Amino acid sequence: MIKSSLSLSEVKSSIKKMQEKSVAVTLNLGRNKVISFVGKVKSVYPALFTVCPVDQTFKGKTTYSYSEYMCGRVKLKEINLEGVE
């Protein structure tokens, strides 16, 4: 487990700022399995957050805990899709 330099409250506020914005999501599933997709952070709850994929055929997990983000299992990068959609 990689220790994050950010506190839990800082992580929650940074994800809250991404709400309703497009993000590139990279999931590290372990054993050299990595999945990437584009989506929007839809909801932010006290213990978890949800990402709605742009590609409606995506069958993977779309709800993540803050600990998964802090450990580096889930990485979010804000992107601009204004001209794409």
Side-chain angles (χ1 to χ4, degrees):
M1 178 166 130
I2 299 172
K3 179 96 171 143
S4 175
S5 61
L6 299 174
S7 69
L8 181 59
S9 61
E10 291 171 331
V11 168
K12 285 182 179 182
S13 66
S14 69
I15 292 175
K16 181 75 172 168
K17 289 177 189 174
M18 291 184 211
Q19 191 169 3
E20 294 301 325
K21 295 183 181 174
S22 297
V23 291
V25 182
T26 304
L27 302 174
N28 182 352
L29 302 175
R31 299 180 66 83
N32 296 324
K33 295 181 189 126
V34 178
I35 297 175
S36 297
F37 66 93
V38 176
K40 284 189 178 189
V41 178
K42 282 294 182 187
S43 304
V44 178
Y45 300 105
L48 52 91
F49 61 95
T50 61
V51 178
C52 182
V54 173
D55 180 15
Q56 296 302 318
T57 61
F58 182 76
K59 301 284 188 206
K61 179 180 165 189
T62 58
T63 303
Y64 309 101
S65 68
Y66 297 109
S67 64
E68 289 176 307
Y69 182 82
M70 292 175 75
C71 292
R73 185 163 182 238
V74 177
K75 295 180 183 176
L76 302 176
K77 181 180 178 188
E78 195 172 326
I79 59 174
N80 187 3
L81 288 180
E82 293 299 320
V84 175
E85 291 182 46

